[in-house]
Amino acid sequence: MSDLLAIPLKRTLEVDLSTELSKLIDATSFQTASFFKPDILKVVSARNNAITPDLSIDGLVALKKYYTILIQLEKKFPDNQIEFTWFQTLSQKSRGSSHYSLQWETLTIVYNIGCMYSLLALNTSRNSAESLKTSCLYFQNSAGCFMYVLERQETLQTMSVVDNATANALASLMLAQAQECFWFKAVQDKYKDSLISKLSQHIVDLYGKAISDAQKGKLIRNDWTDHLKAKKAYFSAVTYYRMALSLNEKKQFGNAVKALQMALQFINESKLSSQAKFKTVIESSLKEAQRDNDFIYLQQVPSELPSIKPALMVKPSSTSTLLPSIENDVQLFKDLIPIEVMEYCTAYNERQDEYVEQRVTNPLISLNKLLKESMTTFEIPQELITVSEAELSQYQTLLNNLHTNNKNVQTELDKIEQILNDEAFTDNQLRLKHGTLHWVLPESSTINTKYYEKLNTLKGYLGQGSAIDKQTDNFFQSIDKNLITSEIRLPEPNDPLTNKIKKVMQERNEYIKKTKRKSSEYRVLSKIISSYKNSGTIDFESIFTDHLKYFDEDLRYVNSTKQENKKLIEEIVLKEKNNAPGSAAETKKIERIDPRELYIEDLKYSLKLLDEVKENLNAGTSFYENLINSTSKFYNEVQEYDAARTEERNKLDESLNI
């Protein structure tokens, strides 16, 4: 129990929080910073105590105190205003990292709380049952903090306190050492050897995970990794040694010999200081067990032993019990206008914009659209636009990319199919070689069906993609590219009704812009701040409802223009009737073909095809991204399956060839 590790505290640069918070308050609050001087000094004092804490319970309390203050600061101030710098202490070179983030500072303090728990656990004597329990609890608390950091920093994205692999390694290390405390207590209490073996097996598993993650991480030093490997080997030896004692009690002497052989193998791999003494014990026990079995019991020594089911006795502590709540703490900056109030203002601004959009903007747009849809014999070309040749070239490039992605996926699927076919062929050949009675592995045809089914599904998706790509190609080739890339030149319409409708629609568009400007300038912020300062409550719904009455005039305009729309549509209907088949106006229209209408129809058709091409390109890009991702994951899955089957075949083939 002397070979345990503690995680060193991260170090930081001093921050002039007094100045930074004062500037922040003056910039974002209606009050001045001098009003909150006592609260600012409490924050400064809490950080000073937390960045150089004593290795004691008082030091842990100082860290947790600063944590509660940071939680309050997060609620009161923007996250990205104060810069903090912390240095890693795990790697041989101390590397610094800086972020403008209260959340990052908070998460770093949680990391240091986890470090402090590991230091306290290591500093506990462990000479009594109670001290062992305390160390075990502290190690679990430490693991809980590191797991919290791992889970929480995923939401911070680029602002990580420690890379994920290292965080996982630290959590597993702490749990391994917690389990080690529990194991040591079991040894002292003379628990059954079978149980002690299961306890130590879980230690082995936890050290194994810690090693795996440490090797993937960026910060764990090589000497620490070597130490973890030595601990894993040592407890593997412990597991098999205790297993041997248990098997000996059950008179399974041949199995006991094998267990001691395994124990000796693992103890030879360990470099711990206690290795030599334990090795002597194992060698003595193995020599005696082999002698008794060779001359008395004559039991067969197996080639391998059944796996040992680990006894899981530890887990990461929940941070809901580790990290303090601010409910019972002194509330700082109580009179400061909180960010929550500003968030209410933002939410109400969004609701106001939505209100104006639904009650004014959208109805006016719909009225204009209704006019356009009613004009079937003549069209206002106001909505028509052209595109650049560069834009068309970009679409062609995207289309080429779809074809390339299709070919790449097909290549991957062919590789997958070849792996599955080769695996099935190899299995069949070995089955013919050894016979079905001896070749006991499951037939490939029974276990790889799901892979072929998934392969066929992906092929089906790829076929669908190919069909849509071909359709998109046809659409793109059908576009009159010269027409849609040339400047639109149309004569002004001489029809009085068309000009009248254009003027009305333009007037509505201008009104839409004016109303949006009006809404952006008339906000509810000042009313909410005033209400909050007077009442201290955050129920602003009635204030917002009254605020919206400012737009009643615009609602009346919308209602009036609805009536105007109705009259214009009646005029359109009358004009359509006069231009109906057989009428004099229609006869005159047929006699002179209107090139303007033909031009518009051709342009609209090509633009419609282009819209369909763009939709297909957007959908196709997303489709192939998902398909490539799924194919890649499936390829890895099949490779793992093939590797596992290869290993199983090799082992069985070797055993049958003996």
Side-chain angles (χ1 to χ4, degrees):
M1 289 295 293
S2 61
D3 299 310
L4 301 178
L5 297 176
I7 314 303
L9 294 162
K10 293 183 73 171
R11 301 301 179 186
T12 185
L13 296 180
E14 291 187 3
V15 179
D16 188 357
L17 276 179
S18 178
T19 299
E20 295 295 332
L21 287 174
S22 296
K23 290 192 299 184
L24 194 53
I25 291 171
D26 289 337
T28 62
S29 171
F30 287 97
Q31 303 98 324
T32 61
S34 59
F35 184 78
F36 300 99
K37 197 65 177 178
D39 289 347
I40 294 174
L41 293 177
K42 289 178 182 178
V43 177
V44 173
S45 175
R47 190 175 200 270
N48 290 337
N49 293 334
I51 61 177
T52 55
D54 296 331
L55 178 51
S56 63
I57 295 298
D58 289 340
L60 180 64
V61 170
L63 285 165
K64 291 187 176 182
K65 176 67 177 177
Y66 183 45
Y67 166 82
T68 62
I69 286 178
L70 285 170
I71 294 299
Q72 294 186 59
L73 295 182
E74 286 183 25
K75 295 180 179 292
K76 295 287 185 177
F77 298 105
D79 180 63
N80 59 348
Q81 300 298 308
I82 303 176
E83 184 180 31
F84 299 96
T85 301
W86 286 88
F87 295 89
Q88 295 287 358
T89 53
L90 278 173
S91 55
Q92 292 179 339
K93 293 184 179 180
S94 181
R95 293 182 292 180
S97 183
S98 301
H99 291 288
Y100 285 87
S101 174
L102 287 167
Q103 293 181 10
W104 186 68
E105 171 85 347
T106 304
L107 206 56
T108 305
I109 292 302
V110 176
Y111 175 90
N112 266 6
I113 291 173
C115 296
M116 179 62 77
Y117 270 121
S118 75
L119 292 164
L120 291 174
L122 208 64
N123 202 41
T124 304
S125 65
R126 296 185 293 281
N127 291 331
S128 64
E130 195 61 34
S131 62
L132 275 173
K133 288 182 181 178
T134 300
S135 291
C136 182
L137 176 61
Y138 283 170
F139 281 130
Q140 291 178 86
N141 291 350
S142 179
C145 290
F146 294 137
M147 289 305 298
Y148 177 85
V149 169
L150 177 65
E151 295 166 0
R152 183 73 179 87
Q153 72 184 8
E154 290 181 355
T155 63
L156 301 181
Q157 297 179 346
T158 57
M159 295 186 295
S160 61
V161 174
V162 62
D163 64 272
N164 290 352
T166 299
N168 270 317
L170 296 181
S172 296
L173 171 59
M174 294 299 99
L175 290 177
Q177 296 184 160
Q179 180 83 356
E180 201 171 330
C181 292
F182 198 95
W183 165 84
F184 189 64
K185 175 73 167 52
V187 172
Q188 288 183 330
D189 293 344
K190 301 184 184 309
Y191 281 23
K192 290 183 178 181
D193 292 310
S194 58
L195 176 57
I196 294 177
S197 177
K198 293 179 179 179
L199 291 173
S200 60
Q201 180 59 43
H202 190 45
I203 299 175
V204 172
D205 293 344
L206 289 169
Y207 275 122
K209 186 176 188 308
I211 293 167
S212 175
D213 288 322
Q215 291 172 335
K216 299 174 186 175
K218 303 177 181 178
L219 300 175
I220 304 296
R221 305 195 306 262
N222 290 335
D223 58 326
W224 274 42
T225 304
D226 292 340
H227 177 78
L228 298 182
K229 292 178 180 178
K231 292 294 289 281
K232 180 185 177 185
Y234 183 87
F235 277 99
S236 295
V238 169
T239 299
Y240 282 102
Y241 175 73
R242 290 288 180 169
M243 181 184 185
L245 296 180
S246 175
L247 291 169
N248 203 51
E249 290 180 0
K250 299 175 182 177
K251 302 187 183 303
Q252 298 180 21
F253 303 110
N255 287 348
V257 170
K258 180 61 179 179
L260 289 169
Q261 290 173 345
M262 296 294 295
L264 182 60
Q265 175 186 334
F266 281 113
I267 201 63
N268 284 330
E269 297 175 7
S270 179
K271 305 299 181 183
L272 297 182
S273 58
S274 55
Q275 179 260 7
K277 183 177 179 181
F278 188 30
K279 179 179 178 182
T280 301
V281 173
I282 295 174
E283 287 176 335
S284 176
S285 299
L286 176 58
K287 183 177 180 180
E288 181 180 350
Q290 286 176 326
R291 183 190 62 221
D292 290 347
N293 190 57
D294 289 343
F295 292 100
I296 301 173
Y297 306 116
L298 304 177
Q299 292 185 6
Q300 183 180 356
V301 177
S303 60
E304 59 182 28
L305 294 170
S307 59
I308 302 171
K309 183 178 181 181
L312 284 64
M313 304 306 298
V314 297
K315 63 179 180 180
S317 300
S318 171
T319 49
S320 62
T321 60
L322 293 180
L323 301 179
S325 169
I326 64 173
E327 312 304 347
N328 300 322
D329 205 356
V330 177
Q331 298 291 312
L332 301 179
F333 305 101
K334 184 177 180 181
D335 296 325
L336 188 70
I337 300 297
I339 292 178
E340 182 182 14
V341 173
M342 304 304 295
E343 290 175 345
Y344 270 109
C345 293
T346 300
Y348 280 127
N349 287 342
E350 292 175 356
R351 287 180 57 186
Q352 176 180 314
D353 291 339
E354 184 179 354
Y355 177 86
V356 170
E357 184 177 354
Q358 291 181 351
R359 303 293 186 91
V360 180
T361 303
N362 286 349
L364 291 177
I365 293 174
S366 298
L367 289 173
N368 280 352
K369 183 179 179 181
L370 188 60
L371 278 180
K372 290 181 180 180
E373 292 175 349
S374 300
M375 298 164 62
T376 57
T377 57
F378 64 96
E379 184 67 46
I380 299 175
Q382 184 177 357
E383 63 183 10
L384 298 180
I385 58 173
T386 59
V387 297
S388 66
E389 293 183 2
E391 184 177 350
L392 281 182
S393 177
Q394 181 182 8
Y395 296 142
Q396 181 64 64
T397 300
L398 291 174
L399 191 55
N400 293 339
N401 290 342
L402 295 185
H403 294 309
T404 300
N405 288 335
N406 187 285
K407 292 179 181 178
N408 291 340
V409 171
Q410 182 63 58
T411 300
E412 289 294 296
L413 293 179
D414 290 342
K415 290 180 182 178
I416 292 170
E417 186 171 17
Q418 187 62 46
I419 291 173
L420 293 174
N421 290 341
D422 289 347
E423 191 282 326
F425 177 79
T426 303
D427 178 74
N428 185 57
Q429 291 298 110
L430 289 172
R431 194 173 303 279
L432 292 174
K433 174 183 175 182
H434 294 291
T436 57
L437 290 179
H438 298 289
W439 193 256
V440 295
L441 290 182
E443 292 188 21
S444 295
S445 59
T446 62
I447 64 173
N448 63 12
T449 302
K450 62 178 181 179
Y451 297 108
Y452 277 110
E453 290 177 351
K454 191 168 184 178
L455 176 65
N456 290 332
T457 299
L458 291 175
K459 285 184 176 180
Y461 290 152
L462 185 63
Q464 294 173 15
S466 300
I468 296 176
D469 294 344
K470 183 177 180 181
Q471 181 190 58
T472 307
D473 264 328
N474 292 335
F475 285 159
F476 194 69
Q477 298 305 321
S478 301
I479 294 173
D480 188 336
K481 298 179 179 59
N482 182 59
L483 179 63
I484 65 173
T485 56
S486 302
E487 181 182 358
I488 297 177
R489 296 183 179 276
L490 291 174
E492 287 293 327
N494 297 321
D495 181 73
L497 181 57
T498 301
N499 288 328
K500 181 179 179 181
I501 291 175
K502 285 186 62 177
K503 183 178 179 181
V504 169
M505 294 175 67
Q506 185 176 358
E507 177 187 301
R508 290 172 183 172
N509 290 332
E510 290 299 323
Y511 198 91
I512 288 172
K513 295 177 182 178
K514 184 185 75 172
T515 307
K516 287 182 176 179
R517 288 195 301 268
K518 177 180 176 181
S519 178
S520 65
E521 294 169 358
Y522 184 73
R523 293 303 196 185
V524 75
L525 172 64
S526 59
K527 297 178 182 179
I528 286 181
I529 296 297
S530 177
S531 172
Y532 180 81
K533 292 180 67 175
N534 291 333
S535 65
T537 64
I538 55 175
D539 183 8
F540 308 120
E541 193 64 27
S542 60
I543 295 173
F544 179 65
T545 301
D546 186 67
H547 173 81
L548 291 180
K549 293 180 180 178
Y550 182 72
F551 300 97
D552 285 352
E553 177 184 356
D554 304 295
L555 301 184
R556 288 192 289 270
Y557 172 81
V558 172
N559 287 330
S560 65
T561 198
K562 284 181 180 178
Q563 300 301 319
E564 183 179 27
N565 225 58
K566 182 178 179 181
K567 294 179 181 178
L568 288 173
I569 290 176
E570 289 176 352
E571 292 185 42
I572 292 172
V573 171
L574 180 59
K575 184 176 181 65
E576 292 292 324
K577 183 178 181 181
N578 292 334
N579 289 334
S583 65
E586 174 65 14
T587 301
K588 184 181 292 186
K589 183 177 180 180
I590 293 174
E591 291 175 352
R592 64 176 190 275
I593 299 176
D594 189 348
R596 178 173 172 270
E597 292 186 11
L598 292 177
Y599 176 91
I600 291 173
E601 289 300 321
D602 289 343
L603 182 57
K604 285 173 61 179
Y605 178 72
S606 286
L607 289 175
K608 181 180 179 182
L609 288 177
L610 183 60
D611 286 339
E612 293 183 9
V613 168
K614 289 191 287 186
E615 288 180 8
N616 285 356
L617 288 175
N618 290 334
T621 300
S622 176
F623 169 81
Y624 280 112
E625 285 179 358
N626 294 332
L627 188 58
I628 290 171
N629 186 43
S630 298
T631 303
S632 177
K633 290 180 179 178
F634 182 47
Y635 181 71
N636 292 335
E637 181 183 349
V638 170
Q639 282 188 314
E640 291 175 2
Y641 157 76
D642 182 56
R645 288 281 289 178
T646 299
E647 183 178 358
E648 290 176 349
R649 288 196 306 268
N650 291 341
K651 287 182 179 180
L652 183 56
D653 189 33
E654 288 176 5
S655 66
L656 292 175
N657 287 329
I658 295 175

